[in-house]
Amino acid sequence: MGDTILDMATAVTWGFNEFGDASLGDTRRGKRAAKIAAGLICDVGSAISSSCGGNGAQAVSRLFNCKDVDEKSILSSHTVKTAERCSKHNGRILVAQDTTVLDFSSRTNLYGLGPTGTGGGYGIMMHSAFVMNEQKLPLGILGLRLWCRDGSNVGIRKTRSKRNIMEKESAKWIWGLEQVNKQLSGLDKEVVLIGDRESDIYELFCADRASNVHLLVRMTENRVISVDGEVSKIYDALDSSCVLGCYAFDLPDGSRTATLEVRSCKVSVPAPTNRRTITSKVVEMWAVEIREVDAPDGVEPLHWRLLTTLDAGSYESCIYIAGCYSARWGIEEFHRVLKTGCGVERLQFENFIRLRPAIAMLSVIAQQVMYPTKYSRCYPNAPADDISNTEEQETVRDWVQLNRFSDYEINTVADYVRGIGFIGGFRGRKHDGEPGVKPIWEGLKNLKNLIAGRKIERYRTARA
């Protein structure tokens, strides 16, 4: 999983590991899916047909047109491998879930799509569950939920309070919990399911959870709760709680250092009044607040209010919980890589049915593209051999020495990934930090061509 996959032999091995055992109705389809994935990972961002050799278009068409092939079946082998990877990592497993829009508005010949918002766009809604370890290293995709909205339902949101949760799009949050319960509850470690403000819904809190599964969501509702038997609003309860401590936080963009106060309180969350005819279950949770103090004039202070089933009774536990929630940005990066790097919105299929498995396969590609960047953040001092071979390291070193720094050497993972970033356009100025995902995927594409050029030169030299 950790290699920068640039050559076809390594890519085929990776493809068979992630897709070879997929439940596609025929073992031959698993082999075909593995080969298609290998072509895609070696040529990120290119059209599927052109990435898979001379007969690529026909192979892709045959596979994605099978009735047994959809997003769930394509991911069936990968999700098993994801659970296996989780079992090998220490600490808790973090699963971020979120929704994004795949916009196909420009594809007038693509049918079966639905409206994506008030702007007149058409496309597909995608809800995904993205798995990481505590250091925010990607481990895989736990599942995708794809759907197209019905245009006749525009305006139905006005009646949302009267409808059952499973009749609304909000059911996607329950679906995410179900995937965790089904696929990760058997692990001998705890799992934290993370969601943004949209996931602040009572039905998620009271849904059945495995004993090793916890919830962590960002609040959007100033809901009625109970603290030590006293009825209150949750924001008021946090405001009246004692400050557990303060800490300094450097913003990722390097613009400033913020001073943050930490508060928490244990709360009992009852069913909303319009749900109490269905359930009277009261959920015990912790509310955590991270708030910036003394923010500069004209700057909006940082402010997080979180609800969690993790214990947040101490300053240290609150800091840990805030760190877990920050992992949610990983799924934002994943969606960006899927769209910009892997070109999911440029897929050339004629209907939604064929798009589904292609989107799933590209999702696995996207999280693999993220892997080198995240690995270098988690384990910067690990030897470069962990994710690259000698030729890759020498090519990166030579390019950087020729174009940037004449004394550049590669010993660690951080050296290697930073060098790839330089090839991909990373400038490496004083306040730039480490390269992000975008220069890394651009650098990997260029590195593949550079390695091919070295091989051609060696071939020419041998013939001379």
Side-chain angles (χ1 to χ4, degrees):
M1 172 95 181
D3 291 342
T4 48
I5 301 171
L6 298 172
D7 63 280
M8 185 54 71
T10 304
V12 169
T13 300
W14 173 84
F16 271 90
N17 183 68
E18 300 298 321
F19 296 98
D21 295 327
S23 302
L24 301 175
D26 190 315
T27 56
R28 291 172 296 181
R29 292 174 187 160
K31 295 178 181 178
R32 186 176 297 169
K35 291 178 180 178
I36 293 171
L40 289 171
I41 197 66
C42 275
D43 200 7
V44 175
S46 297
I48 291 183
S49 56
S50 64
S51 301
C52 304
N55 297 321
Q58 186 180 47
V60 170
S61 180
R62 285 179 176 175
L63 179 65
F64 293 160
N65 200 36
C66 295
K67 63 181 179 62
D68 295 320
V69 179
D70 58 16
E71 69 272 22
K72 183 177 180 179
S73 60
I74 279 287
L75 292 174
S76 57
S77 177
H78 171 74
T79 54
V80 172
K81 298 297 182 181
T82 297
E84 291 176 0
R85 284 188 283 268
C86 290
S87 67
K88 297 175 183 177
H89 284 266
N90 296 324
R92 291 186 173 101
I93 298 300
L94 309 180
V95 181
Q97 58 171 335
D98 198 12
T99 307
T100 192
V101 172
L102 303 181
D103 187 4
F104 291 93
S105 299
S106 62
R107 296 283 309 284
T108 56
N109 62 331
L110 181 58
Y111 63 90
L113 305 180
T116 56
T118 57
Y122 275 80
I124 298 169
M125 307 301 296
M126 184 181 97
H127 190 78
S128 49
F130 185 69
V131 187
M132 298 161 279
N133 69 3
E134 282 187 324
Q135 289 73 42
K136 305 169 189 175
L137 182 70
L139 300 179
I141 308 298
L142 208 57
L144 297 179
R145 183 181 173 105
L146 302 170
W147 72 97
C148 295
R149 289 170 170 164
D150 186 345
S152 64
N153 288 335
V154 174
I156 198 172
R157 192 169 185 268
K158 298 175 183 178
T159 64
R160 63 187 183 277
S161 62
K162 299 179 181 179
R163 289 181 283 126
N164 184 281
I165 185 70
M166 302 312 291
E167 298 174 351
K168 299 185 284 187
E169 283 191 2
S170 299
K172 62 193 178 185
W173 304 107
I174 311 298
W175 169 88
L177 177 57
E178 290 172 348
Q179 302 311 303
V180 173
N181 282 336
K182 179 181 177 181
Q183 300 179 57
L184 300 183
S185 61
L187 297 178
D188 187 22
K189 59 186 64 191
E190 294 184 322
V191 182
V192 182
L193 181 62
I194 305 167
D196 63 7
R197 289 185 179 97
E198 193 183 346
S199 66
D200 182 10
I201 54 175
Y202 170 78
E203 287 84 355
L204 176 63
F205 304 153
C206 71
D208 292 336
R209 283 183 291 112
S211 59
N212 65 327
V213 176
H214 291 280
L215 301 176
L216 174 57
V217 304
R218 190 169 181 181
M219 291 186 217
T220 190
E221 297 284 346
N222 188 14
R223 59 178 71 250
V224 175
I225 48 93
S226 174
V227 181
D228 297 327
E230 297 292 328
V231 176
S232 176
K233 286 293 190 76
I234 198 164
Y235 293 176
D236 295 335
L238 282 169
D239 288 341
S240 61
S241 298
C242 296
V243 176
L244 298 176
C246 296
Y247 70 102
F249 175 73
D250 295 323
L251 270 67
D253 61 6
S255 60
R256 62 191 175 92
T257 299
T259 301
L260 304 178
E261 281 186 348
V262 179
R263 290 180 169 87
S264 73
C265 60
K266 195 170 186 177
V267 300
S268 300
V269 181
T273 54
N274 61 346
R275 308 287 200 282
R276 291 178 187 172
T277 56
I278 302 172
T279 179
S280 58
K281 185 175 180 180
V282 176
V283 185
E284 301 295 325
M285 303 185 76
W286 281 89
V288 177
E289 183 174 55
I290 311 291
R291 176 183 293 183
E292 183 178 5
V293 295
D294 300 326
D297 292 340
V299 174
E300 183 178 358
L302 301 177
H303 194 188
W304 283 358
R305 293 190 185 100
L306 307 172
L307 265 174
T308 182
T309 56
L310 291 164
D311 188 312
S314 67
Y315 169 76
E316 292 76 15
S317 61
C318 290
I319 299 301
Y320 170 80
I321 287 166
C324 287
Y325 184 77
S326 69
R328 200 196 70 79
W329 306 118
I331 198 169
E332 302 278 1
E333 287 185 284
F334 161 66
H335 288 155
R336 186 170 71 251
V337 173
L338 179 64
K339 295 177 183 181
T340 308
C342 298
V344 69
E345 293 172 325
R346 299 193 298 271
L347 286 170
Q348 297 292 317
F349 292 98
E350 66 271 21
N351 60 58
F352 178 45
I353 301 301
R354 288 193 177 189
L355 279 171
R356 297 172 77 126
I359 292 168
M361 183 173 286
L362 284 179
S363 295
V364 179
I365 304 297
Q367 60 86 35
Q368 180 62 37
V369 169
M370 294 175 63
Y371 194 91
T373 307
K374 299 301 181 180
Y375 192 90
S376 71
R377 304 279 178 89
C378 297
Y379 313 108
N381 297 318
D385 293 344
D386 281 4
I387 62 169
S388 58
N389 59 40
T390 301
E391 181 159 54
E392 291 164 356
Q393 293 169 33
E394 290 178 350
T395 305
V396 171
R397 181 202 62 198
D398 293 350
W399 188 96
V400 177
Q401 288 184 355
L402 180 64
N403 294 279
R404 299 297 299 274
F405 307 106
S406 60
D407 59 347
Y408 197 81
E409 294 294 337
I410 293 177
N411 298 301
T412 66
V413 165
D415 296 333
Y416 174 67
V417 171
R418 191 174 178 85
I420 294 174
F422 287 134
I423 297 173
F426 175 66
R427 299 183 67 181
R429 296 167 298 186
K430 183 177 180 180
H431 297 295
D432 283 346
E434 295 302 315
V437 174
K438 183 176 180 180
I440 296 304
W441 89 58
E442 294 287 358
L444 286 173
K445 287 194 293 185
N446 293 334
L447 178 58
K448 178 186 174 184
N449 294 330
L450 290 170
I451 291 173
R454 285 170 65 102
K455 291 179 178 178
I456 291 171
E457 184 60 28
R458 286 200 299 269
Y459 172 74
R460 293 178 62 184
T461 302
R463 290 184 62 188

